[in-house]
Amino acid sequence: MEEGEYACSRFRKLVDSIVPEFSPRSWEKLATCHADLQRLFNEVIKEMDCTIVCGHRTQAEQDKVYPQYSNAKWPDSPHNQEPSLAVDAMPCPIDWDDIPRVLTFRDVVEDTARSLNIGIRPLIRFRNRMGQIVTDYPHFELA
């Protein structure tokens, strides 16, 4: 093996050993969620880098997202429970327009949930109060 090949193989081993981890902000949001969601996303991040967009929502936070982004008023969203029964998560880096990547992430979450025997409902689709069809791509809730 030549010196350059050795350096490349050592670098490859180093890169392969790096496991993504949540930012302090994501940890804080995930901590507001049900223990099963915490367990699930602590495994998901080992497979695909992601961020926690939202866990528990206060009444003020829920009032901000209703009616455009949520079909639930306070306290009817699973995000309003303590601990939260829903989490919004996106693959990193966040690109709201990269739907194929978001769907790949959804598959990783579903496969991981299945392997952990955690029932989830991903990708909620609803008609908001303004009559628009909304697909809540980052949304995962306990089933």
Side-chain angles (χ1 to χ4, degrees):
M1 181 182 300
E2 292 183 29
E3 186 177 325
E5 289 177 43
Y6 177 71
C8 288
S9 67
R10 281 186 39 205
F11 178 74
R12 174 58 38 213
K13 286 179 185 177
L14 175 64
V15 169
D16 289 345
S17 71
I18 296 173
V19 177
E21 55 183 54
F22 288 118
S23 69
R25 195 164 181 196
S26 283
W27 276 117
E28 185 178 298
K29 292 173 186 175
L30 188 57
T32 68
C33 297
H34 188 279
D36 285 345
L37 291 172
Q38 292 181 38
R39 189 165 54 102
L40 171 59
F41 281 90
N42 281 320
E43 292 302 315
V44 167
I45 196 164
K46 294 174 185 176
E47 299 298 318
M48 189 170 187
D49 194 9
C50 61
T51 188
I52 304 301
V53 177
C54 179
H56 174 76
R57 281 193 202 127
T58 65
Q59 183 171 358
E61 291 166 333
Q62 187 66 31
D63 290 347
K64 279 184 185 178
V65 297
Y66 176 85
Q68 187 172 359
Y69 301 109
S70 175
N71 65 344
K73 287 184 177 181
W74 171 269
D76 299 327
S77 168
H79 285 283
N80 303 147
Q81 309 306 307
E82 288 191 61
S84 179
L85 302 178
V87 64
D88 292 348
M90 285 287 287
C92 288
I94 292 177
D95 180 350
W96 298 99
D97 297 322
D98 189 351
I99 302 307
R101 193 160 152 269
V102 171
L103 295 176
T104 297
F105 176 67
R106 181 208 55 197
D107 291 343
V108 169
V109 174
E110 286 183 304
D111 291 347
T112 306
R114 201 171 10 265
S115 75
L116 295 171
N117 294 316
I118 297 173
I120 59 163
R121 281 190 293 258
L123 248 174
I124 303 301
R125 198 173 214 155
F126 62 92
R127 185 176 298 280
N128 69 14
R129 302 290 186 218
M130 296 160 26
Q132 302 162 319
I133 298 289
V134 175
T135 302
D136 196 353
Y137 287 106
H139 185 86
F140 300 89
E141 67 183 59
L142 293 176

